[in-house]
């Protein structure tokens, strides 16, 4: 267990990407490591592909479930524009792990808005510590795109002070038994992404 510091983690994406599972696993891993944990989530129009944000805070003593803006030690994003939308949560030295995934909103597909072409450049400017890769593509290599959130979580876990055993136990406790092996492999794949 570390000193009196409270660690803040923010997960963002759109409904259906597994943001809430990633935050649940992180919270369980922190509890298994002996920390006090508080969480908060906002769904928006999550069922229709709307924005989703989840906060996880852990430490020796945690007073609020919400990560204050500008203080997140880590931000995990399963959609690149959502990463930019919530970039203000990241601490200046915070780690951002972003999937190179674009979910085109209705406003863009209907022609009333445009999706930026320079997303990668914007992400590099917004996050000095950026790990940027296609988590969905990596999950497909494992045979199931639905594991993209766990691949991303594996990459994010390298920036947090929680032991691997706690992560693995949290995954095993959070997914169905028949999905455990896939999710553990997805987590390991993510841990190896630089």
């Amino acid at each position: 267990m570390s000193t009196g510091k409270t660690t803040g983690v923010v997960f963002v994406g759109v409904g259906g990407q597994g943001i809430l599972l990633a935050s649940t696993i992180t919270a369980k891993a922190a509890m298994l490591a002996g920390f006090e944990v508080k969480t908060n989530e906002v769904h928006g129009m999550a069922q229709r592909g709307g924005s989703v944000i989840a906060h996880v805070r852990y430490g020796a003593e945690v007073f609020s479930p919400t990560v204050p803006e500008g203080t997140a030690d880590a931000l995990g994003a399963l959609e690149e524009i959502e990463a930019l939308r919530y970039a203000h949560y990241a601490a200046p030295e915070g780690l951002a792990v972003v999937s190179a995934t674009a979910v085109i909103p209705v406003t863009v597909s209907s022609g009333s808005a445009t999706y930026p072409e320079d997303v990668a450049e914007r992400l590099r400017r917004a996050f000095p510590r950026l790990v940027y890769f296609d988590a969905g593509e990596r999950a497909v290599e494992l045979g199931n795109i639905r594991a993209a959130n766990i691949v991303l979580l594996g990459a994010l876990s390298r920036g947090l002070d929680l032991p691997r055993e706690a992560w693995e136990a949290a995954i095993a406790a959070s997914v169905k038994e028949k999905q455990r092996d896939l999710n553990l492999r997805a987590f390991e794949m993510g841990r190896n992404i630089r």
Side-chain angles (χ1 to χ4, degrees):
M1 180 149 356
S2 66
T3 60
K5 180 187 180 329
T6 299
T7 299
V9 184
V10 174
F11 292 97
V12 299
V14 296
Q17 288 188 306
I19 292 298
L20 301 183
L21 178 59
S23 69
T24 296
I25 290 169
T26 303
K28 283 183 182 178
M31 282 188 274
L32 290 168
F35 292 106
E36 181 175 308
V37 180
K38 292 204 179 353
T39 63
N40 182 31
E41 57 203 46
V42 178
H43 300 265
M45 292 289 286
Q47 297 85 352
R48 297 177 187 241
S51 187
V52 178
I53 180 170
H55 299 247
V56 178
R57 296 185 78 216
Y58 65 88
E61 194 171 25
V62 181
F63 297 103
S64 168
T66 306
V67 176
E69 293 182 8
T71 69
D73 297 279
L75 181 136
L78 280 160
E79 203 282 337
E80 42 195 19
I81 291 298
E82 294 300 314
L84 291 171
R85 179 192 319 265
Y86 293 107
H88 60 281
Y89 277 100
E93 70 287 353
L95 171 66
V97 179
V98 180
S99 180
T101 303
V103 177
I104 305 301
V106 173
T107 54
V108 171
S109 59
S110 69
S112 62
T114 57
Y115 199 91
E117 294 180 19
D118 62 342
V119 174
E121 182 183 316
R122 290 182 189 204
L123 287 166
R124 287 185 191 95
R125 282 196 311 261
F127 304 109
R129 287 182 61 210
L130 174 66
V131 176
Y132 184 51
F133 68 100
D134 190 332
E137 186 177 280
R138 298 297 176 92
V140 167
E141 292 172 23
L142 295 170
N144 192 333
I145 193 165
R146 293 180 52 87
N149 60 337
I150 307 301
V151 174
L152 184 111
L153 186 61
L156 185 94
S157 73
R158 293 177 44 88
L160 298 174
D161 60 346
L162 302 174
R164 178 190 296 258
E165 305 77 44
W167 286 108
E168 291 172 353
I171 291 167
S174 301
V175 300
K176 293 179 180 171
E177 188 174 348
K178 65 181 182 179
Q179 297 296 322
R180 280 187 193 148
D181 181 59
L182 168 69
N183 282 281
L184 289 169
R185 286 186 294 124
F187 182 77
E188 187 60 31
M189 175 182 273
R191 294 244 340 151
N192 290 317
I193 291 171
R194 304 282 184 249

